[in-house]
Amino acid sequence: MFGLEDKVVLVTGGNRGIGAAIVKLLEELGAKVAYTYRSGQGEYGALAIQADVTDPDAMAATVDQVERELGPIYGIVANAGITNDALLSRMTHEMWDNVINTNLTGVYNTIRPAIPLMYERKAGALVFISSVVGEQGNIGQANYAATKAGLIGLAKTIGLEGARSQVRANVVAPGFTETDMVKSIPDAVKEKILQTIPLRRFASEEEIGWATAFLLSPVMSGYITGTIISINGGRHT
Ligand code: NDP
């Protein structure tokens, strides 16, 4: 139904959290999924590759390996991301660089080797996992917000540059999602956060997965590029 059967998709950070949910769902939809991990392998996916997104050579080798072992890459989900929070007045250069290098340059490192191949084949779909924080900002997350907003500009630009090659780029911007990190927040703090979310619950990892699959799907979103799906329970400000 999604038209993703036998399509090769690479997901970064697919070993756990939202990335693992995306890998699982794409496999259920018939895609051939490769994913990267740093620390430990995940449970799903046809091909697991240990690669750090901050290392351009490792990411070029990853793209090569996926193409050799699974076939031409159709989709990329740039999901790997980190936080390193502090008020800007206390944020060190190291904290800034870590987050920029992973969340923004890491996405460039991931897609750069694949883009010419996709352009040549005139087929491809990129999905960047941004955040509600990239749309709205957040106290203590200047570095993170800058990277997640940067992904929106990146997708919009590829939406323009890739259009003549039928390569699409879109963004999923999740709000609070029920990952291990959110599950470990104390109940009292969770309750306060929930008061700011109109739907009064956090997103499930699967809900982020479905939106990602939709934006990869040539059947469902073939005419959608350079746009954002905000999955934030109605918290738009
Ligand atoms: P997790 O912390 O659970 O997982 C992060 C993933 O990114 C892991 O697979 C991790 O690999 C990988 N990763 C981190 N740094 C690198 C690196 N340098 N190279 C390769 N892989 C790396 O995060 P979530 O599942 O919660 O988040 C996934 C994405 O969704 C992120 O981009 C995040 O910013 C975004 N997001 C999350 C929200 C939430 O509420 N959870 C809300 C909005 C956006 P490893 O395990 O090997 O370290």
Side-chain angles (χ1 to χ4, degrees):
M1 185 161 85
F2 278 69
L4 291 171
E5 297 79 9
D6 292 326
K7 291 260 190 302
V8 176
V9 181
L10 169 63
V11 181
T12 62
N15 52 323
R16 64 189 169 95
I18 291 171
I22 292 170
V23 171
K24 180 171 185 271
L25 179 61
L26 292 176
E27 285 220 302
E28 285 167 7
L29 294 172
K32 293 197 263 182
V33 189
Y35 70 90
T36 65
Y37 66 95
R38 267 187 325 179
S39 52
Q41 282 196 30
E43 287 176 55
Y44 316 103
L47 176 61
I49 301 172
Q50 190 166 23
D52 191 316
V53 294
T54 64
D55 178 347
D57 294 337
M59 295 318 293
T62 295
V63 167
D64 268 359
Q65 187 181 346
V66 176
E67 294 251 331
R68 257 185 290 115
E69 294 190 28
L70 296 186
I73 296 175
Y74 166 78
I76 294 181
V77 180
N79 163 77
I82 58 166
T83 54
N84 201 344
D85 299 349
L87 294 173
L88 190 65
S89 52
R90 293 187 202 139
M91 189 176 286
T92 63
H93 272 277
E94 195 187 357
M95 293 166 89
W96 176 266
D97 286 344
N98 280 345
V99 174
I100 300 287
N101 289 343
T102 304
N103 296 7
L104 190 55
T105 310
V107 176
Y108 168 81
N109 291 338
T110 304
I111 62 171
R112 179 61 186 84
I115 284 262
L117 305 172
M118 290 179 169
Y119 284 1
E120 204 177 296
R121 297 195 282 252
K122 298 216 180 303
L126 309 174
V127 179
F128 304 149
I129 308 298
S130 173
S131 166
V132 65
V133 170
E135 298 179 285
Q136 299 175 9
N138 197 25
I139 290 173
Q141 294 198 305
N143 49 1
Y144 183 76
T147 61
K148 295 301 186 181
L151 294 180
I152 295 170
L154 183 61
K156 286 186 179 294
T157 300
I158 299 170
L160 296 173
E161 292 184 3
R164 64 180 175 171
S165 307
Q166 302 302 313
V167 172
R168 301 179 296 112
N170 290 291
V171 168
V172 169
F176 281 95
T177 306
E178 285 272 10
T179 56
D180 291 342
M181 185 198 77
V182 168
K183 282 179 195 150
S184 69
I185 297 174
D187 283 350
V189 180
K190 259 194 210 170
E191 206 35 58
K192 273 197 171 163
I193 297 170
L194 285 173
Q195 293 309 314
T196 70
I197 302 171
L199 282 179
R200 294 287 187 272
R201 66 173 179 85
F202 300 124
S204 69
E205 293 172 346
E206 290 72 25
E207 285 170 319
I208 311 305
W210 283 113
T212 303
F214 169 82
L215 288 174
L216 286 172
S217 165
V219 177
M220 296 185 177
S221 63
Y223 202 55
I224 299 177
T225 190
T227 198
I228 309 165
I229 297 186
S230 303
I231 310 177
N232 55 27
R235 205 186 99 161
H236 288 284
T237 53

